[in-house]
Amino acid sequence: MWENIEVALEKTPLDKLKKKPSEDNLGFGVHFTDHMYLSKWNREKGWHDSKICPYQDFQMNPASMVFHYGQAIFEGMKAYRGKDDQIFLFRPKDNFERLNTSALRMCMPRVPVDLVLKSLKALLYLDREWIPSAPGATLYIRPTMIGVDPILGVKPSDTYLFYIIMCPVGAYYPEGFNPTKIYVSDEYVRAVKGGVGQVKTAGNYAASLYMSEIAKKAGYTQVLWLDACEHKYVEEVGTSNIFFQIEDELITPPLGGSILGGITRDSVLKLAQSWGIKTVERPIAIDEVLAASKDGSLKEIFGTGTAAVISPVGELMYKNETYIINNGETGVLAQRLFTELQAIQNGYGADPDKWVVRVC
Ligand code: COI
């Protein structure tokens, strides 16, 4: 049934095409391309009225369920202008499969992965001039699904919109690839096992804002969340997963239900293993990290994510004490992973697992 979905094409008139921003100062998620993908779902027709169309505002009923009960899921992926000016995606099916896992947990419909990927490729081709070529600049892609029934009773919506918007971006953090300062939250938590911490749903990000603002005011870029029960074990940074190199082991918290299963996280684990580095997915207590920092066995900390790529951590703040990591500098392993990942994503590196998909 899904193979028969038709995708219409409505091009933006030439005189309405936007002026492209300078690649020197793209910021993150502030400029949007000329087109988007849009599809509707209801119980009778499934996905229908699918189209690639001009980037546009929605007119929505103020009672739409997404505004009240938060049925909203999304993905983050990127297109890269790489080798020989070709355009690449990185593990795109994994993103759409993860979106479908999120959909299941949030009582939302699955998207047809192959068709949506095909549509994304067409959208990228249409807006290919928007894909930056400056080093480190990419086109960020945001597939999103929302429940839109105009009904205030609490239940899963019977109607949905799925759309894909795209924006040329630079580094996610103002620091770029330079080490970030991270505030460890010992009071507020992000997610609890059995909840929706492993789901890429809007509410997880809303829940993180209060503590993130406190951290920002104290001069920190991001929050490192601890587990919700004991406030003891490290979870994730919210915009990225987290890795610790202690002695010669690369350690990251396991995917126990409260942590997002990052695609960059998985890629880093596989890359490090292929280089002979011992990787361990296990609960790691903040006290263990800080003890390793004090005795010198903690070599590096870095975050991983689509937006953040590899994000070295230069400082931790926990209970009013600061801990400088790797002299506040980017570590050797973080640098190697960043360089290799970028090489693969841009079509230059060896790609034994076929992570890279050429668009055009
Ligand atoms: C991503 O890394 O793509 C994310 O979705 C994280 C953040 C920008 C919300």
Side-chain angles (χ1 to χ4, degrees), residues 9 33 45 177 193 205 247 270 283 292 294 340 358:
L9 174 61
T33 69
K45 296 189 195 161
F177 181 60
K193 283 185 186 20
Y205 297 83
E247 301 286 9
K270 292 196 168 111
K294 282 185 177 152
E340 183 61 21
R358 184 171 167 267

Side-chain angles (χ1 to χ4, degrees), residues 28 74 76 140 142 172 200 205 239 305-308:
F28 191 92
F74 64 91
Y140 186 76
R142 175 53 65 86
Y172 184 72
K200 210 158 172 63
Y205 297 83
T239 49
T306 300

Side-chain angles (χ1 to χ4, degrees), residues 94-231:
D94 292 326
N95 284 98
F96 289 122
E97 295 293 358
R98 187 172 65 180
L99 184 81
N100 281 339
T101 307
S102 297
L104 183 68
R105 178 65 177 82
M106 301 298 286
C107 300
M108 299 166 84
R110 290 171 56 82
V111 296
V113 172
D114 287 337
L115 178 100
V116 163
L117 180 52
K118 232 176 175 173
S119 305
L120 171 60
K121 286 181 182 174
L123 177 63
L124 281 166
Y125 185 73
L126 194 59
D127 278 350
R128 62 193 178 283
E129 300 300 328
W130 283 87
I131 304 171
S133 50
T138 53
L139 190 79
Y140 186 76
I141 301 165
R142 175 53 65 86
T144 307
M145 194 194 301
I146 53 175
V148 292
D149 274 6
I151 295 173
L152 294 186
V154 180
K155 66 165 191 72
S157 181
D158 284 320
T159 53
Y160 293 88
L161 291 182
F162 171 66
Y163 56 91
I164 303 177
I165 53 177
M166 311 196 293
C167 41
V169 298
Y172 184 72
Y173 294 124
E175 291 90 337
F177 181 60
N178 298 315
T180 52
K181 292 166 70 178
I182 302 278
Y183 192 115
V184 184
S185 172
D186 59 342
E187 186 179 1
Y188 297 98
V189 296
R190 173 186 172 272
V192 62
K193 283 185 186 20
V196 292
Q198 83 284 23
V199 176
K200 210 158 172 63
T201 186
N204 284 334
Y205 297 83
S208 74
L209 296 179
Y210 187 78
M211 183 61 226
S212 299
E213 286 301 295
I214 294 174
K216 226 180 261 171
K217 280 193 190 115
Y220 290 81
T221 324
Q222 274 295 325
V223 176
L224 177 59
W225 301 101
L226 302 180
D227 75 277
C229 294
E230 296 178 75
H231 296 198

